[in-house]
Amino acid sequence: MALFAVFQTTFLLALLPLRTYKSEVLSEPLPLTPESLKVSVNSTRQRLHLQWTVHSLAYHQELKMVFQIQISRFKTSNVIWVENYRTTVKRNRVLHWSWESKLPLECAAHFIRMRSMVDDARIPKPGFWSNWSSWEEADAQNSLGHDPLFVFPKDKLVEEGSNVTICYVSRIHQDNISCYLEGVQIYGERLDRSVSAFELKNVSFIRKKGTNVFCKVDQGGALGGIVLFVSKVLEEPKDFSCETQDLKTLTCTWDPGSDTGLSKQPSQSYTLFESFSGKKTLCKHRNWCNWQVAQDSQETYNFTLVAENYLRKRSVSILFNLTQRVHPMTPYNLFPKNVRATNATMTWKVHSIGNNSTLLCRLELLAEGKVIQQHNVSIKVNGEYLLSELEPDTEYVARVRCAYTNHFWKWSELISQKFNTAEAAPSEAPDVWRNMKMVSGHPTVSLFWKPLSKVHANGKILFYNVIVENLDKPSRLEVLSIPAPARSTELTLDQCSYQIHVTAHNNVGPSPASVIVISGDPGNEEVESGRVNGTEDGFSVSWKPQSGDATGYVVEWCDGPQDLPCVLQWKNLGPNTTSTVISSGAFRPGVRYNFRIYEISAKRMAHLLEKKAGYLEELAPSDNPQVVMSNLTSHSFTLSWKDYSTESQPGFIQGYHVYLKPKAGEQCPPAFEKTVLPEDSVCCKHTIDNPEQKTFVVENLQPESIYEFFVTPYTSVGEGPLDAFTKITTPDEYSHILIRIILPMIFCVLIVMIICYLKRQWLKEKCYPDIPDPYKSSVLSLIKSKMLLKL
Amino acid sequence: MLPAAGEPAAGDSWGMLACLCAVLWHLPAVPALNRTGDPGPGPSIQKTYDLTRYLEHQLRSLAGTYLNYLGPPFNEPDFNPPRLGAETLPRATVNLEVWRSLNDRLRLTQNYEAYSHLLCYLRGLNRQAATAELRRSLAHFCTSLQGLLGSIAGVMAALGYPLPQPLPGTEPTWTPGPAHSDFLQKMDDFWLLKELQTWLWRSAKDFNRLKKKMQPPAAAVTLHLEAHGF
């Protein structure tokens, strides 16, 4: 028995340390070295992928561990990365870890090793690190060829704004290798005797065919390059919205932003997900997509639009009720029916939505581009509305759009239709006036009328009817039909009184008539004349009414200057007016306009009331009068310009200025005062303030002196243009005596002398006859002859 | 539509090119065989010469646009990269003595074969082009180049030379290198355009030489008589 107890105790005692030993195993675990380390290289993603296991874990044991991973580049001593990776480890479960290298993996050999430590809360600290595993090499360079220069990363796709490291590997001397980004040289860092790297910060999109980076050996043939594909950053779709036209198909639209497509990456794709039904569809277009509405009448939709390219994914969501997104189709067949002069019925149709839905349609009427009427009409399929208060012969545009009555979302597109209302008879009598003159002894009346405005014409005016009724011989009626667009006609009358009716006619009928009465008597031309002042707005003309029963007044004038044929204008005024403002675009400054004011009696006869003349703006006279000098004496001379017309000047002539330039140093004659001319010469001036006085005697002058004179008219604005002065010289004081007396005397003496010379014989005989010489007498000769005979 | 991206399936596209080129080889023969009653080779040589000048002019603007599309340094005037992948492009430059000594048949054959190759490659270029405008310009140029091939075929037929048949294995194929990158592709495109330019320049000289050779002897006699006749 005791032996058995001894054996039991010994056995138990022996077991105890074993148990303790076992628990010691748990409390102080052996280091768990990572094993079966395998490194793989993903050159495209520039990633090193590591996988390993921890064999020495007990079965079913799960431990939290931390692995310290070291990465070296070029050589194992050049550690570039250390990271602690924490994970739960199970026996024989393969662990994974990856690391992205900024430098393309082809440019350098990379080495990895790791060690581990238990990091579990169940195990009391401190743990200790295992041994380092041996360096595993990740060599991406064994696939390089025999060329002297290689550039990496090949055909990399990055997003705009990212940083990229470019490197080259050369088998030749590096000093004469230069690298260029888009033709511009870049400078980098030498990492090794055959490797250099270049950091490109914040790369931007240049073109779809990518950005070219190349390196070449100076003065050599070797060249290597890469194309870096820089993609625009994929934007979140904007303005994502869905709507339906018929409750059967939903159309979703959005703004896709910039296209991220390159030759390396297709344009971003769009996919539509609906969360309640779990369905999705790939959109064929980049900014819209159709979705078939399910027959099970799903009311609420939660759509997510996903934009995706190789680099990025973006999404946007909306939640809505189907019936709150109805955008009806455009109405159709909008036609006017029963179009009259002042009303028209519009009809149109709409596409039905669902079963028995009503649409609210808005009908608008436009005239000259402006909305003048708006009406709301609720319809199911066919719409009809009577538009009234329209103008005859006018072009209108009717337009309709509709919206879903149950829940307003958007108006449909507009449909428009032009139409014209029918013509109606003109609504107003034409404005008629007359001008009377005598032609070869017969009174001739020129009738003028103004064309009716569109508002009153109610259609195209085709002709005017002029009915001339002889009031003295009532049976005589003359009807003239004058086709439009004539605006006047002439009638030859006699001394009788005539009543003239003028009507304007369009396709529908005549306008009310304008009536004027013309008496045979030409009327009194001797009326009050006055002046009117012109202002910016025109002429303010006023008059005194003569008789108390005037039915109206007419102010008549010619639009152009007096020397041109008269373009007759008139203004018709009501009975109680005594003034008006006459304005016309044809009024010009410096032109005299003559206004004649007529009073229209109850019998429709016009008689002249007043005459007014005025200038819109007076100007200075445009020319000077032709001055004739006469009666020149040694102390005076007379100037006259009787032919000068004061009516045809560009202002009311108020008088004349007579300028006189006396002999140098002389004072001005008494009637004159000293003045200075514009060119700074001193002169004498006399003002005549009566425009009708057209002669002037310049007196108190010095004889034998040179005077210069010049006459110019003046208006309220100024005087006429400064012309050349005319020179005259006053004759000598006595010279007139000389001329008047002595010269005639000499002339008489000469005459006498000539007469005396001619009649000298007679004179001689009369005044101093010769003493007769007896020896020369005839008696003697007679005696002599008698004696001879006797002998 | 942009071409599907991913790693360029280079083997596939070049195989397609080879197939296309085989078709292209036989195509110009058809119009050539339809010719009846030729007035002589002179007018068609002149036409071919004119066509090469026209294509030269067209290529100048096309190359400018395309090289700008590739981006610098390809559009720089003094860019001269090594001919790596473009070894299979037919070379226009040849020793002057060799060129002079070519007989008419060989001269025409070389031209015909060169343009057939170049047209093939150009069509491949067209398929890769990303913009519609560029594809239009390339397509237009390819049509003109096809016209030139037809014209050369016409001259060969008029002179009684048979059209060169593609021997099996000599069809233009190109096996891409182990890592045919986009940059190398751009360099190939560059060399294609450059070689095309050189070929057109050379063809103008070839056809000018042929034109002079083909001038009828009667013209020489007429000249001779005229010289003595005055």
Side-chain angles (χ1 to χ4, degrees):
Chain A
M1 207 54 162
L3 198 62
F4 182 69
V6 167
F7 267 123
Q8 211 176 20
T9 321
T10 320
F11 180 72
L12 281 166
L13 277 169
L15 218 52
L16 206 58
L18 208 60
R19 239 187 225 153
T20 330
Y21 176 73
K22 261 201 176 157
S23 64
E24 272 174 2
V25 167
L26 279 170
S27 55
E28 289 166 9
L30 286 168
L32 301 166
T33 317
E35 287 161 330
S36 313
L37 216 63
K38 245 189 257 175
V39 183
S40 54
V41 169
N42 185 339
S43 299
T44 322
R45 298 205 188 279
Q46 286 172 216
R47 291 194 91 91
L48 286 180
H49 191 78
L50 201 58
Q51 59 187 51
W52 71 99
T53 50
V54 179
H55 291 305
S56 41
L57 261 181
Y59 276 115
H60 312 301
Q61 195 177 15
E62 259 191 32
L63 264 181
K64 285 209 179 93
M65 290 183 74
V66 57
F67 295 91
Q68 192 173 72
I69 303 168
Q70 266 189 354
I71 303 182
S72 299
R73 190 178 271 164
F74 295 112
K75 48 186 194 266
T76 53
S77 53
N78 181 32
V79 175
I80 56 158
W81 189 267
V82 181
E83 189 177 315
N84 289 345
Y85 173 58
R86 287 183 160 79
T87 187
T88 309
V89 181
K90 232 177 154 180
R91 183 188 159 90
N92 290 339
R93 182 209 270 175
V94 178
L95 297 160
H96 299 271
W97 180 85
S98 71
W99 171 77
E100 188 176 348
S101 167
K102 284 215 174 355
L103 183 76
L105 297 171
E106 297 94 331
C107 281
H110 290 79
F111 305 92
I112 297 187
R113 69 175 181 181
M114 66 161 64
R115 63 181 180 179
S116 62
M117 183 170 77
V118 176
D119 185 36
D120 203 310
R122 295 173 290 178
I123 313 292
K125 294 276 175 21
F128 52 93
W129 288 105
S130 71
N131 289 331
W132 282 108
S133 65
S134 52
W135 285 105
E136 285 296 320
E137 186 175 349
D139 188 8
Q141 294 181 306
N142 52 9
S143 55
L144 297 180
H146 301 292
D147 289 346
L149 186 61
F150 292 96
V151 186
F152 298 102
K154 290 211 185 299
D155 307 341
K156 192 177 170 74
L157 177 65
V158 296
E159 229 173 37
E160 202 175 23
S162 42
N163 299 338
V164 181
T165 306
I166 312 281
C167 62
Y168 70 74
V169 179
S170 75
R171 296 190 200 284
I172 53 168
H173 191 45
Q174 269 196 63
D175 283 347
N176 48 6
I177 296 178
S178 36
C179 294
Y180 303 84
L181 165 69
E182 287 288 306
V184 176
Q185 189 160 10
I186 49 173
Y187 301 93
E189 188 197 334
R190 179 179 285 192
L191 301 178
D192 189 79
R193 59 181 169 78
S194 57
V195 177
S196 284
F198 304 82
E199 179 90 25
L200 303 179
K201 287 192 166 45
N202 192 16
V203 293
S204 31
F205 169 82
I206 296 178
R207 66 181 77 79
K208 289 194 175 192
K209 207 58 175 151
T211 307
N212 301 323
V213 182
F214 78 99
C215 299
K216 66 172 198 202
V217 178
D218 302 334
Q219 284 123 31
L223 187 140
I226 55 140
V227 182
L228 183 67
F229 291 97
V230 182
S231 157
K232 284 193 184 295
V233 178
L234 179 64
E235 293 170 52
E236 187 180 280
K238 293 193 265 292
D239 306 328
F240 178 44
S241 137
C242 298
E243 62 187 32
T244 178
Q245 285 192 317
D246 51 7
L247 294 172
K248 290 181 185 144
T249 310
L250 266 167
T251 303
C252 294
T253 56
W254 60 90
D255 176 5
S258 38
D259 183 2
T260 61
L262 303 169
S263 53
K264 187 91 182 145
Q265 170 186 255
S267 292
Q268 64 269 29
S269 66
Y270 291 91
T271 316
L272 211 54
F273 290 94
E274 202 286 302
S275 66
F276 297 127
S277 60
K279 291 204 184 126
K280 76 172 186 194
T281 178
L282 177 67
C283 298
K284 290 196 205 75
H285 305 269
R286 64 188 296 264
N287 59 348
W288 66 272
C289 212
N290 275 346
W291 182 276
Q292 284 306 118
V293 170
Q295 293 306 315
D296 60 5
S297 64
Q298 180 182 345
E299 273 279 319
T300 314
Y301 287 82
N302 182 10
F303 276 110
T304 304
L305 177 69
V306 177
E308 192 174 352
N309 66 8
Y310 285 174
L311 298 167
R312 197 184 278 267
K313 212 180 209 183
R314 291 235 203 235
S315 65
V316 70
S317 298
I318 51 169
L319 179 71
F320 62 90
N321 259 355
L322 186 66
T323 51
Q324 292 179 356
R325 287 282 190 271
V326 180
H327 182 197
M329 282 190 262
T330 316
Y332 61 101
N333 279 2
L334 176 66
F335 291 124
K337 171 169 104 168
N338 295 341
V339 181
R340 296 195 181 82
T342 54
N343 57 40
T345 306
M346 297 306 297
T347 60
W348 67 95
K349 283 184 172 24
V350 292
H351 294 102
S352 59
I353 297 174
N355 300 331
N356 243 6
S357 303
T358 18
L359 290 174
L360 174 70
C361 293
R362 178 172 286 179
L363 174 65
E364 286 175 340
L365 184 69
L366 291 94
E368 284 171 9
K370 289 202 189 65
V371 177
I372 54 171
Q373 285 185 30
Q374 208 176 68
H375 308 278
N376 288 337
V377 186
S378 274
I379 65 167
K380 281 209 163 49
V381 178
N382 293 314
E384 192 171 299
Y385 193 83
L386 174 69
L387 292 163
S388 50
E389 290 172 31
L390 306 178
E391 296 289 327
D393 188 41
T394 308
E395 189 181 89
Y396 289 99
V397 174
R399 60 185 194 196
V400 176
R401 58 177 133 192
C402 301
Y404 195 49
T405 319
N406 294 8
H407 192 280
F408 179 82
W409 163 240
K410 268 188 200 168
W411 285 110
S412 69
E413 292 302 316
L414 278 167
I415 180 173
S416 303
Q417 181 63 44
K418 248 194 256 190
F419 68 95
N420 278 54
T421 42
E423 286 187 359
S427 56
E428 228 185 59
D431 185 355
V432 181
W433 185 235
R434 95 286 183 275
N435 190 21
M436 307 252 299
K437 53 182 185 268
M438 297 295 279
V439 173
S440 330
H442 293 281
T444 305
V445 174
S446 300
L447 271 177
F448 301 94
W449 54 87
K450 293 182 186 165
L452 287 171
S453 65
K454 193 174 181 314
V455 169
H456 296 129
N458 290 342
K460 188 171 171 208
I461 301 296
L462 300 173
F463 61 92
Y464 297 88
N465 260 1
V466 177
I467 301 172
V468 184
E469 194 186 333
N470 190 328
L471 290 172
D472 299 333
K473 298 171 194 157
S475 58
R476 296 262 305 272
L477 203 73
E478 202 181 326
V479 179
L480 291 166
S481 190
I482 299 136
R487 294 167 64 159
S488 65
T489 190
E490 265 193 18
L491 304 166
T492 309
L493 308 172
D494 53 30
Q495 308 296 336
C496 303
S497 293
Y498 288 87
Q499 186 175 68
I500 303 173
H501 292 244
V502 181
T503 47
H505 293 248
N506 63 14
N507 251 334
V508 179
S511 67
S514 268
V515 181
I516 53 174
V517 172
I518 293 167
S519 67
D521 172 21
N524 187 20
E525 279 293 307
E526 294 307 314
V527 290
E528 205 180 308
S529 271
R531 282 195 187 175
V532 276
N533 287 334
T535 61
E536 260 175 26
D537 303 323
F539 291 95
S540 179
V541 180
S542 59
W543 55 91
K544 282 200 273 294
Q546 208 172 69
S547 58
D549 65 341
T551 55
Y553 296 91
V554 172
V555 179
E556 171 198 280
W557 70 96
C558 294
D559 239 356
Q562 285 168 326
D563 50 350
L564 293 177
C566 176
V567 177
L568 196 70
Q569 299 294 333
W570 70 95
K571 189 169 176 183
N572 228 320
L573 299 148
N576 292 328
T577 38
T578 53
S579 69
T580 184
V581 174
I582 306 285
S583 48
S584 166
F587 286 151
R588 297 273 169 271
V591 175
R592 180 184 288 204
Y593 295 97
N594 296 306
F595 299 92
R596 294 158 68 90
I597 300 142
Y598 291 84
E599 189 179 71
I600 314 292
S601 68
K603 290 186 188 157
R604 312 276 199 147
M605 260 199 280
H607 79 269
L608 186 63
L609 200 59
E610 281 179 41
K611 281 199 238 184
K612 304 256 185 194
Y615 291 86
L616 185 70
E617 191 191 320
E618 282 191 64
L619 302 176
S622 50
D623 52 5
N624 294 317
Q626 287 283 87
V627 179
V628 172
M629 192 270 303
S630 57
N631 291 351
L632 176 67
T633 68
S634 56
H635 295 285
S636 68
F637 58 88
T638 307
L639 299 172
S640 72
W641 51 93
K642 291 211 162 54
D643 294 334
Y644 185 66
S645 156
T646 52
E647 306 286 314
S648 54
Q649 292 299 314
F652 288 115
I653 302 293
Q654 293 181 340
Y656 306 91
H657 286 145
V658 181
Y659 289 98
L660 189 70
K661 272 195 201 161
K663 195 163 80 170
E666 216 181 272
Q667 292 280 351
C668 284
F672 287 77
E673 56 183 32
K674 222 182 210 172
T675 185
V676 178
L677 284 177
E679 66 252 18
D680 287 339
S681 59
V682 179
C683 185
C684 305
K685 174 171 148 184
H686 172 79
T687 305
I688 301 169
D689 53 15
N690 176 10
E692 297 312 316
Q693 180 186 329
K694 295 183 184 172
T695 58
F696 181 68
V697 179
V698 184
E699 6 186 57
N700 296 323
L701 304 173
Q702 297 297 317
E704 274 184 296
S705 307
I706 298 172
Y707 289 90
E708 289 181 78
F709 68 85
F710 169 59
V711 180
T712 182
Y714 68 91
T715 64
S716 59
V717 176
E719 58 181 30
L722 199 64
D723 271 343
F725 279 68
T726 311
K727 256 192 209 160
I728 57 114
T729 312
T730 47
D732 179 26
E733 214 168 0
Y734 300 111
S735 62
H736 75 277
I737 298 170
L738 195 72
I739 290 165
R740 288 252 173 92
I741 297 168
I742 294 176
L743 276 176
M745 267 182 66
I746 293 171
F747 184 64
C748 287
V749 163
L750 270 171
I751 296 286
V752 164
M753 276 174 68
I754 288 166
I755 292 170
C756 287
Y757 175 75
L758 288 171
K759 296 283 180 192
R760 62 187 180 282
Q761 267 314 95
W762 178 82
L763 262 175
K764 188 180 167 196
E765 284 173 15
K766 282 286 174 192
C767 295
Y768 53 96
D770 284 333
I771 298 168
D773 186 359
Y775 293 99
K776 287 188 183 164
S777 74
S778 55
V779 173
L780 199 60
S781 67
L782 209 55
I783 296 169
K784 266 189 186 169
S785 63
K786 267 189 181 167
M787 287 179 73
L788 276 168
L789 277 171
K790 280 181 175 174
L791 291 169
Chain B
M1 278 300 287
L2 290 170
E7 297 304 312
D12 280 350
S13 57
W14 286 104
M16 253 165 44
L17 264 178
C19 185
L20 265 169
C21 293
V23 171
L24 199 69
W25 214 269
H26 298 280
L27 213 51
V30 176
L33 288 170
N34 282 344
R35 293 172 93 80
T36 50
D38 271 325
S44 43
I45 293 176
Q46 178 63 45
K47 196 181 93 176
T48 315
Y49 170 80
D50 292 338
L51 208 47
T52 56
R53 298 315 302 270
Y54 169 70
L55 277 165
E56 233 185 321
H57 169 76
Q58 215 187 337
L59 184 61
R60 234 172 273 140
S61 74
L62 176 66
T65 314
Y66 196 84
L67 293 175
N68 278 337
Y69 164 71
L70 294 181
F74 298 99
N75 57 356
E76 280 161 18
D78 53 354
F79 185 60
N80 194 26
R83 274 176 95 125
L84 299 173
E87 290 301 327
T88 51
L89 281 176
R91 278 182 192 267
T93 347
V94 77
N95 182 283
L96 188 62
E97 289 307 319
V98 170
W99 179 76
R100 280 214 187 106
S101 65
L102 286 172
N103 66 31
D104 296 343
R105 179 177 165 162
L106 206 54
R107 198 180 291 279
L108 286 164
T109 306
Q110 283 189 356
N111 269 277
Y112 188 87
E113 283 177 347
Y115 287 117
S116 304
H117 276 86
L118 292 168
L119 185 57
C120 262
Y121 293 132
L122 212 57
R123 289 207 161 117
L125 208 73
N126 192 6
R127 271 194 303 283
Q128 301 292 320
T131 70
E133 197 195 315
L134 210 51
R135 277 201 294 276
R136 251 200 313 275
S137 308
L138 281 166
H140 179 59
F141 190 83
C142 283
T143 313
S144 307
L145 198 56
Q146 172 116 48
L148 178 62
L149 267 177
S151 202
I152 299 172
V155 171
M156 290 180 82
L159 292 170
Y161 302 134
L163 277 181
Q165 295 301 319
L167 291 173
T170 60
E171 273 160 22
T173 53
W174 190 91
T175 40
H180 188 67
S181 70
D182 271 299
F183 193 83
L184 285 176
Q185 183 62 57
K186 285 190 179 185
M187 269 170 51
D188 289 347
D189 295 351
F190 173 86
W191 275 111
L192 171 61
L193 292 170
K194 195 153 181 170
E195 204 54 60
L196 200 45
Q197 270 174 331
T198 320
W199 262 110
L200 286 168
W201 172 85
R202 178 182 144 174
S203 292
K205 298 210 175 330
D206 282 327
F207 285 100
N208 205 25
R209 199 178 179 83
L210 275 168
K211 202 171 51 170
K212 284 188 185 140
K213 274 180 98 177
M214 297 294 159
Q215 251 159 18
V221 173
T222 318
L223 275 166
H224 186 71
L225 283 173
E226 276 177 359
H228 281 266
F230 89 103

